[in-house]
Amino acid sequence: MSTRSTDDQFWDPQQYAENARFVSDLGMSVVELLAPQPGERILDLGCGDGALTVKLQALGCNVLGVDASVSMVEAARKLGLDARVMDGRALPFQSEFDAVFSNAALHWMPDPEAVIVGVWRALKPGGRFVGEFGGHGNVAKIVSTQQQVLTEHGFSAENPWFFPRPEEYQQLLETQGFRVLSIQLVPRPTRLPGDISGWLRTFGHQFLEHLRQSDRDSVLSAAVGRLRPQLCDATGAWYADYVRLRFHAVRPA
Ligand code: BEZ
């Protein structure tokens, strides 16, 4: 979920559970791609509150979860997991894992080369790197609307996330030496549990962190108004315009 070691104030497990439980629910298909076997040693990179890590453990795997957020790691430990606070760009492991798994986390990690080299080192020869995260075009309507509204209010607004094209990420993996068995974009408009403001407050904090509360409120309400015709259907249900990048790579034996 996160690798910025200084961003812990943004991650509230309670808010996350209310607005983002669908993230781990949808991650079960990535677990299927991982095909974990009992007894395997698995690193869950960006484990968040451990909702998927615990499923890997229940399948008989020996799992370590890592995340940069202290509060999320605490929540994962409450599930009885071995979880550690760690920067994904500085993984310290050497040939220890049968697989590295990552769901909805790699887009938070701004230095993908450093992440990939750490994953490579962490894997045993023959080990696999399986994951899913935001790919090219992910939440494009949300990002462009937030950027427009912020600019109109006189604020700067860079896209804080890494959403690569499949060719770009494949190249990064292959440059490190991985063999890429599959990689593709998966468009997945995703029903939200509430309106888009819950998503923006839970995930869009990097757009809003430097604003005063009053500016934050007016930016948020303008963004919600402008996104309604794009992402809210006639019944009032809101959808995030997710596009996942899903991949399966192997460190050759
Ligand atoms: C995602 O899972 O695609 C995502 C989550 C939060 C912010 C940006 C993207």
Side-chain angles (χ1 to χ4, degrees), residues 139-251:
V139 292
K141 290 179 178 153
I142 299 176
V143 170
S144 66
T145 301
Q146 263 298 38
Q147 286 176 324
Q148 271 169 25
V149 171
L150 281 162
T151 305
E152 286 163 18
H153 281 70
F155 301 108
S156 63
E158 283 186 19
N159 182 346
W161 299 297
F162 169 61
F163 295 146
R165 297 175 192 275
E167 314 83 78
E168 185 189 346
Y169 201 63
Q170 178 161 357
Q171 176 73 51
L172 291 172
L173 290 166
E174 288 178 347
T175 298
Q176 179 55 47
F178 278 104
R179 193 154 56 85
V180 178
L181 302 188
S182 66
I183 185 161
Q184 71 268 125
L185 286 179
V186 183
R188 189 196 290 145
T190 300
R191 172 88 191 257
L192 298 176
D195 74 15
I196 195 74
S197 69
W199 192 96
L200 291 170
R201 286 180 204 280
T202 305
F203 293 122
H205 37 66
Q206 280 162 278
F207 283 126
L208 302 169
E209 66 196 17
H210 51 290
L211 273 60
R212 284 186 314 225
Q213 189 59 49
S214 54
D215 290 326
R216 217 176 267 195
D217 292 343
S218 67
V219 164
L220 268 179
S221 87
V224 171
R226 228 171 269 186
L227 283 166
R228 189 180 304 279
Q230 304 180 67
L231 297 177
C232 183
D233 73 11
T235 70
W238 282 85
Y239 293 81
D241 51 337
Y242 280 131
V243 178
R244 319 315 289 164
L245 181 61
R246 178 184 291 206
F247 65 93
H248 180 179
V250 174
R251 173 180 170 165

Side-chain angles (χ1 to χ4, degrees), residues 14-22 192-195 198-199 202-203:
Q14 177 69 33
Q15 185 187 40
Y16 189 82
E18 281 162 19
N19 290 303
R21 182 48 62 224
F22 64 86
L192 298 176
D195 74 15
W199 192 96
T202 305
F203 293 122

